[in-house]
Amino acid sequence: MPELPEGTINAFIQNKNLAKYGLLKDNEGGFLAENFVDYQLIDRHETLEEIVAVGWMSDFHPFNKDLVADPSPKILVIVDREQTYGDFWRVCLTAEAQEREMKAINAEQEEARLLAEAIEAERLRVEEEARKAATAVYDDSPIVAKAYASETRDETFEDVAALDVVPERPLMQFQLSRPADSIGEPRVFADLSADNEMFTESRSTKNPDFALERREMSVSVQACKVKKDTGSQTWTRPIQASTQYHPVGDAYQLPPPPPESKRERQASRQKLVNGKKGQVEEDTSLMTEDQLNERKKAAERDRSYAHVARFLAKTFGLMENALEQNETVDVFGDLFKGTGAGAEDLEASKGALGELKELRTFADINRTKGKHLHSLQWHPARKGVVAVGPRSNLTFEDRLPSSGFSSSSHVLYWDFADLITPLLVLEAPYSVEAFAINTERPHLVCGGLENGQVLVWDTSASTQAIDAKRQREKRRLAGESTKDDEEAALFDDEVRPPLEALAMASLGDHKVEHCHRRSVTQVVWLPKNAQIDYKGRLLEEEYQGEHSNQFVSISLDGQLLFWDLRFEDIARGKHPKVGRRMRGSTDVGADGKLKAVPWQPLWKCHLAHPAGVGELGLCHMVNAFVGVGDDPIPSTEEDVPDVVPDHRCRFIACSEDGELLSGDWAAVSEDDSEPAYVTWAAKDHPRPALALQQCALLRDHLLTCAERHFHVWLFGQKQPAFKSPRTAKLSCVAWSPTRAGVVFCGRADGGLDVWDLCDDPERPIGSFRVASSAITSMSFQSDLLPGEYDQLLALGDEQGNLHVFDVPLPLRKPKASDIDTFKAFIQAEIDWEVKSQERMAAQKEAAENAKAAAPAEGDAEEEPAAEEEAPKDGEFDFSEAELEADNAAYAKLQRKLAQEMDIRLLESGLRDWSYEPQPEQPAQ
């Protein structure tokens, strides 16, 4: 929807008041848009009196202050029949807007008047021609032949001439000759067979008249490398710890000196002056041309040496540090020596990272083909079982015709033992946008739907039937089958229908909405000690129960909804400490049974932006921060004990606007107002985040991902600790569960990038081709593994295929110092960012002080200019053109050095002289 023109606002005018304000063409014509006037000027004084008389019942009451501030005698109301700006009427609030809109209206009316006059003139012309044709008198005079004259004669000649080929150069002449004695010789023609009407065979013949004589020469040719002279570093003792640097291009040659600046020319001139003006050290008038050239070359050589000396003085510390680090790397040693018994032979694998071996590929032609797997989770209690949630790839335009209609969706359980048939199929009446398996009770699965509802499946009966079938198969193979096993085996081949939901949330009625207003984006099971009551307070331990019964759902509508599986018992008053009793929950129906109780959220938490503008649509959330940063806060009073932070209700989430926000759903307010559940929100990505991951080894480290970057956040910080360089288009990320600092990034082209932030934070250390389409989900599994595997990686792609890979040893085996190294890396990034902010703040303060001091200097009386004297040592005057030339030369050298050393100036905090931002203009 376009923005409203400046000085105008949408207005909702009731139909009963349209005639009173004169906004209808015909008072009996109804309230259709065709019956609205184009515009109307309403008396401002009468309108203000109406607002004073009826107050908020007046249609102009919402912008009363703007009307009072406007001195115009009339109020301009403009119709918007197409509702381009959202409503039928627009009101001009300022005189400038009224004048601008009236000019536009008058221009449209003038254009319409001219168009009507043109139409009327054309109608009169056609009528006049028809009248003349009807009253025409036939003239029976003879036809006189005349010469044909074409109006397009010249254009036709030009078109024909353009098709002709006109030579642009003189024609070349060739002369072909043959010996006269070869003319008139007999020729033999071959017959063409009847079945071959197109081709004839022409065999090669030897004509001695046209024989080509060649001379043979004995010449030997051999290809060899180009010979060049190079130098190498030497070492005094034979150890396997030296690193060879090969010079790049002509780096070993002395670089040419930069052009001599005005400062250097004046310094050279000052050097020639020996105390007194005009006394030169050496007279060059008697030197020959060769001596002058030698002297000039020596001066350039001295300047080159001085230039290199200044460069080495600046970079000596960095070079020394690099040489010290080079000696600590054993370039000839075995990187994976001592990895333990039973380790794979890495020499046979592909590269230093090993081979990402694909073990299984699962696909269901009816339920997942052509759909992307948006959700993926390993089963917490069964070996080799992965649950996936497929979702249609239809675009918004393709989904519009079927919007509002129910279409079944599924969650599939895949088992390593069966590549064709899913182990379980969970069915839902709408598209499943997210699901989660309860880790304490894995037979319970909660899901969020596209229409905002949530539901729960109970897979206990189905899993028991599967386990019983497998036990019967084991007994049959062992020869221990019983008669009951044989009878039960008769029904094993029957196809099990999809499992329907155990309970589904109620949408509510026309007064109250019990579910989300928009699509559910994620569901998270709450730990047992983090369960809440109907007021959002944490439950005491005696009321928590044996297992967790609650989960939370997030959506793009900015709400956190908390759901309890015991909703029927709570509604009937069996858990008064958890929820309130529902009226009519104990009523008995016509069948003699208790009436069904609608499933409603236990508690709703509406999130508001800390800035107070708009609602926060959530995309991803993590809430496992118990034990993270729980150091006691010392009390300032003696009798008051230290406060221990409670993070059971803390959460970190990504919003629809690309922000990362921190909140606490147990927050309270000092007064009766709505608590501020969101403590802070910071900009993370320009678009909504594709993933939010929590490090399994360091739970205070978070990972967010967008299409071209991924960021690492530290819990409690309000800005990212690390920002990756621009990468290929990403679609999902996952943190390694065993190696801190190793991040797996799925790409939109089906590739998989592996980043080791401790080793090289500028580029991935390895890339693998794992799928033919975009990777949409990713999950690791290090426990309950089938076979001899140590770590598995499951990937879901855009075409509905589930790929399972065996992670190679270098990417899964942790190092002794992984965690400490990664902590040090993140802390170094934070310290660098703090120093950069302080440096920019100091520069800004210095610029403001200089700007403030400039007017004071201008007010001072100008002193008479002193006589020009020879500049002192270190004091030189430069023009703006010379300064710009010097800056351009330095910027060129800086860009060349940054390109050769692969330095990103802006990202590293260095000043880029090739780009100078313009100073901010003072506000008018």
Side-chain angles (χ1 to χ4, degrees):
M1 182 181 296
E3 296 183 0
L4 284 166
E6 184 179 1
T8 63
I9 191 173
N10 282 334
F12 174 74
I13 301 179
Q14 305 176 60
N15 291 339
K16 64 180 182 180
N17 296 331
L18 294 178
K20 178 177 68 175
Y21 296 135
L23 300 178
L24 295 177
K25 297 179 181 178
D26 184 4
N27 293 338
E28 303 298 332
F31 303 109
L32 299 177
E34 292 78 5
N35 195 31
F36 295 163
V37 298
D38 295 335
Y39 71 97
Q40 184 61 266
L41 292 172
I42 302 175
D43 187 82
R44 173 174 167 273
H45 181 68
E46 295 179 357
T47 304
L48 295 178
E49 289 182 351
E50 177 188 350
I51 295 174
V52 173
V54 300
W56 59 270
M57 296 181 63
S58 173
D59 295 331
F60 294 90
H61 181 268
F63 28 91
N64 180 25
K65 295 182 180 180
D66 298 318
L67 296 179
V68 172
D70 182 24
S72 303
K74 299 289 184 178
I75 301 173
L76 178 61
V77 181
I78 308 171
V79 70
D80 186 3
R81 294 186 177 87
E82 303 296 335
Q83 295 185 354
T84 307
Y85 300 102
D87 215 323
F88 278 111
W89 303 100
R90 285 190 298 125
V91 178
C92 295
L93 301 178
T94 61
E96 294 80 5
Q98 189 174 138
E99 182 180 358
R100 183 187 67 245
E101 296 296 333
M102 283 302 301
K103 287 183 179 179
I105 292 173
N106 294 335
E108 291 180 359
Q109 291 180 349
E110 180 66 18
E111 184 179 356
R113 185 185 64 79
L114 295 176
L115 180 61
E117 292 179 355
I119 294 174
E120 181 65 20
E122 179 66 17
R123 186 185 62 81
L124 295 176
R125 186 186 65 80
V126 172
E127 291 180 355
E128 181 64 20
E129 291 181 356
R131 185 187 63 79
K132 290 181 178 179
T135 58
V137 179
Y138 177 72
D139 185 10
D140 190 11
S141 58
I143 299 175
V144 179
K146 298 180 180 179
Y148 174 74
S150 174
E151 298 179 356
T152 60
R153 176 176 175 274
D154 297 337
E155 290 80 358
T156 304
F157 286 162
E158 292 178 359
D159 294 341
V160 174
L163 299 176
D164 295 340
V165 178
V166 180
E168 298 181 355
R169 58 178 175 80
L171 298 179
M172 299 177 63
Q173 297 181 359
F174 294 92
Q175 181 178 3
L176 300 178
S177 62
R178 61 181 299 180
D181 55 358
S182 65
I183 301 175
E185 293 183 354
R187 295 290 182 264
V188 179
F189 298 95
D191 296 333
L192 184 65
S193 59
D195 57 350
N196 187 1
E197 299 179 356
M198 296 178 60
F199 308 102
T200 182
E201 182 179 4
S202 298
R203 297 182 179 180
S204 60
T205 58
K206 186 175 182 180
N207 191 345
D209 297 333
F210 301 98
L212 180 62
E213 297 181 357
R214 297 182 180 178
R215 180 177 299 176
E216 297 181 358
M217 298 179 64
S218 299
V219 179
S220 61
V221 180
Q222 181 181 0
C224 60
K225 294 184 178 179
V226 179
K227 185 179 179 181
K228 63 178 181 180
D229 297 332
T230 57
S232 63
Q233 298 175 355
T234 58
W235 199 255
T236 57
R237 50 195 177 97
I239 63 172
Q240 297 180 355
S242 63
T243 302
Q244 174 65 44
Y245 279 91
H246 184 74
V248 179
D250 298 333
Y252 58 90
Q253 297 181 359
L254 192 66
E260 189 175 10
S261 61
K262 182 178 180 181
R263 184 190 301 272
E264 292 178 343
R265 291 196 302 270
Q266 293 179 352
S268 301
R269 208 177 295 119
Q270 185 75 12
K271 184 177 179 181
L272 295 177
V273 177
N274 186 12
K276 297 181 180 181
K277 189 174 182 180
Q279 294 183 3
V280 183
E281 291 182 350
E282 184 176 2
D283 187 9
T284 60
S285 60
L286 301 178
M287 291 185 180
T288 63
E289 185 176 356
D290 294 339
Q291 291 176 344
L292 291 175
N293 292 335
E294 290 294 334
R295 182 181 180 86
K296 185 176 180 181
K297 291 180 180 179
E300 292 181 356
R301 185 168 58 252
D302 293 341
R303 291 181 56 245
S304 299
Y305 289 150
H307 177 64
V308 174
R310 289 194 299 270
F311 170 76
L312 293 177
K314 293 180 181 179
T315 60
F316 178 75
L318 296 176
M319 293 170 59
E320 184 179 9
N321 187 22
L323 292 175
E324 290 176 356
Q325 292 178 356
N326 290 338
E327 189 174 348
T328 61
V329 179
D330 188 0
V331 295
F332 301 101
D334 185 5
L335 297 178
F336 306 103
K337 184 178 180 181
T339 54
E344 291 85 351
D345 185 8
L346 294 179
E347 295 180 359
S349 62
K350 296 181 179 179
L353 297 180
E355 180 183 4
L356 196 64
K357 183 179 179 182
E358 185 170 5
L359 304 178
R360 298 286 191 277
T361 301
F362 303 95
D364 190 311
I365 193 172
N366 296 321
R367 299 184 180 92
T368 64
K369 184 177 177 60
K371 300 180 180 180
H372 67 276
L373 305 182
H374 62 89
S375 300
L376 188 152
Q377 183 178 358
W378 288 89
H379 199 281
R382 301 181 73 90
K383 288 186 178 181
V385 176
V386 189
V388 298
R391 184 167 57 192
S392 176
N393 289 330
L394 296 178
T395 61
F396 178 75
E397 290 79 5
D398 297 334
R399 292 201 308 267
L400 279 179
S402 59
S403 61
F405 295 93
S406 174
S407 59
S408 61
S409 180
H410 305 86
V411 174
L412 282 70
Y413 279 40
W414 289 105
D415 191 356
F416 264 52
D418 192 348
L419 297 177
I420 300 176
T421 306
L423 181 67
L424 278 179
V425 178
L426 312 182
E427 187 176 19
Y430 291 93
S431 175
V432 179
E433 300 296 314
F435 71 92
I437 303 175
N438 194 327
T439 55
E440 297 182 6
R441 294 186 290 174
H443 63 277
L444 295 177
V445 184
C446 64
L449 304 183
E450 185 181 16
N451 64 340
Q453 287 180 286
V454 297
L455 73 168
V456 172
W457 293 279
D458 187 357
T459 63
S460 56
S462 300
T463 53
Q464 290 175 5
I466 293 172
D467 294 338
K469 178 182 177 181
R470 292 182 175 179
Q471 292 297 330
R472 289 195 300 270
E473 186 66 20
K474 288 182 180 180
R475 289 194 294 267
R476 185 185 67 81
L477 296 176
E480 301 175 356
S481 298
T482 62
K483 185 177 180 180
D484 295 338
D485 293 343
E486 295 176 358
E487 293 178 357
L490 299 175
F491 303 95
D492 287 345
D493 295 335
E494 294 183 358
V495 179
R496 293 185 299 271
L499 186 64
E500 296 182 356
L502 172 67
M504 181 179 292
S506 172
L507 284 173
D509 51 23
H510 65 283
K511 296 181 180 179
V512 180
E513 291 182 350
H514 295 161
C515 294
H516 292 285
R517 299 188 301 272
R518 298 180 65 183
S519 172
V520 178
T521 55
Q522 189 176 355
V523 287
V524 180
W525 286 97
L526 295 178
K528 174 185 173 182
N529 61 349
Q531 298 182 97
I532 62 173
D533 60 7
Y534 67 97
K535 292 184 178 180
R537 300 171 300 188
L538 291 171
L539 287 176
E540 298 180 2
E541 186 176 359
E542 57 181 321
Y543 303 114
Q544 292 176 0
E546 299 180 359
H547 305 283
S548 174
N549 295 284
Q550 297 180 0
F551 65 91
V552 59
S553 62
I554 64 174
S555 172
L556 300 176
D557 61 357
Q559 292 189 100
L560 298 179
L561 301 187
F562 293 81
W563 308 86
D564 199 307
L565 302 182
R566 305 165 295 180
F567 64 95
E568 293 183 347
D569 295 339
I570 293 174
R572 295 187 175 104
K574 295 183 180 181
H575 299 283
K577 295 294 184 179
V578 180
R580 292 177 294 185
R581 181 175 180 176
M582 184 182 297
R583 180 180 301 176
S585 59
T586 57
D587 296 344
V588 180
D591 55 355
K593 299 180 181 180
L594 293 175
K595 292 184 178 180
V597 177
W599 192 12
Q600 302 177 8
L602 181 66
W603 185 59
K604 296 182 179 181
C605 176
H606 183 77
L607 303 181
H609 200 283
V613 179
E615 61 183 16
L616 291 172
L618 302 184
C619 302
H620 309 279
M621 184 184 74
V622 292
N623 64 325
F625 294 106
V626 177
V628 177
D630 285 350
D631 297 333
I633 302 175
S635 176
T636 56
E637 302 180 6
E638 297 181 357
D639 299 336
V640 179
D642 297 343
V643 179
V644 179
D646 189 356
H647 292 165
R648 288 180 292 175
C649 300
R650 290 292 301 273
F651 66 92
I652 299 292
C654 294
S655 71
E656 190 180 14
D657 298 328
E659 294 179 316
L660 190 75
L661 55 95
S662 174
D664 187 350
W665 61 65
V668 295
S669 60
E670 298 179 357
D671 50 11
D672 296 336
S673 61
E674 184 77 12
Y677 298 111
V678 179
T679 56
W680 58 265
K683 193 64 178 177
D684 186 22
H685 295 288
R687 300 190 64 184
L690 300 175
L692 173 62
Q693 291 276 332
Q694 188 176 20
C695 184
L697 302 175
L698 299 170
R699 290 188 295 113
D700 57 342
H701 289 67
L702 303 172
L703 176 68
T704 64
C705 165
E707 291 183 351
R708 294 293 183 180
H709 300 272
F710 65 87
H711 296 168
V712 177
W713 290 74
L714 190 61
F715 182 75
Q717 298 288 335
K718 296 185 179 180
Q719 59 183 0
F722 170 75
K723 297 180 180 180
S724 72
R726 182 179 175 88
T727 64
K729 188 174 182 180
L730 303 179
S731 53
C732 63
V733 295
W735 220 318
S736 173
T738 55
R739 291 200 58 189
V742 176
V743 178
F744 289 72
C745 299
R747 303 201 305 260
D749 60 354
L752 180 67
D753 291 341
V754 182
W755 292 70
D756 189 349
L757 302 182
C758 300
D759 184 16
D760 189 356
E762 294 295 328
R763 59 188 59 83
I765 61 174
S767 299
F768 303 91
R769 173 64 61 179
V770 295
S772 59
S773 57
I775 302 173
T776 56
S777 56
M778 191 185 317
S779 179
F780 285 93
Q781 175 71 319
S782 300
D783 301 324
L784 299 174
L785 297 175
E788 301 296 332
Y789 310 112
D790 293 329
Q791 189 179 96
L792 297 182
L793 172 62
L795 302 173
D797 64 15
E798 197 175 17
Q799 297 302 322
N801 301 316
L802 173 65
H803 309 270
V804 180
F805 295 88
D806 180 21
V807 181
L809 179 66
L811 297 180
R812 71 169 182 264
K813 185 176 180 60
K815 298 181 181 179
S817 59
D818 263 358
I819 296 179
D820 295 337
T821 305
F822 184 62
K823 285 183 177 179
F825 167 74
I826 292 298
Q827 189 61 40
E829 292 291 325
I830 294 176
D831 295 342
W832 176 263
E833 184 65 24
V834 171
K835 292 180 181 179
S836 301
Q837 295 292 340
E838 293 177 353
R839 182 169 59 253
M840 288 188 292
Q843 293 176 356
K844 183 178 180 180
E845 183 179 359
E848 292 177 355
N849 295 337
K851 188 183 298 184
E857 295 178 358
D859 296 339
E861 296 181 0
E862 296 183 0
E863 298 180 358
E867 297 181 359
E868 295 186 359
E869 297 181 356
K872 299 180 180 180
D873 188 11
E875 297 182 359
F876 306 104
D877 296 330
F878 301 95
S879 63
E880 294 184 359
E882 291 175 338
L883 289 176
E884 291 180 358
D886 290 345
N887 287 338
Y890 182 80
K892 184 177 180 181
L893 291 175
Q894 184 187 39
R895 287 195 300 272
K896 182 179 179 181
L897 177 63
Q899 184 176 6
E900 292 179 353
M901 302 187 68
D902 195 15
I903 298 176
R904 295 176 173 84
L905 298 176
L906 297 180
E907 294 183 5
S908 59
L910 300 177
R911 187 174 182 182
D912 188 358
W913 287 91
S914 62
Y915 170 73
E916 276 295 310
Q918 298 296 330
E920 297 182 357
Q921 298 295 334
Q924 297 294 333

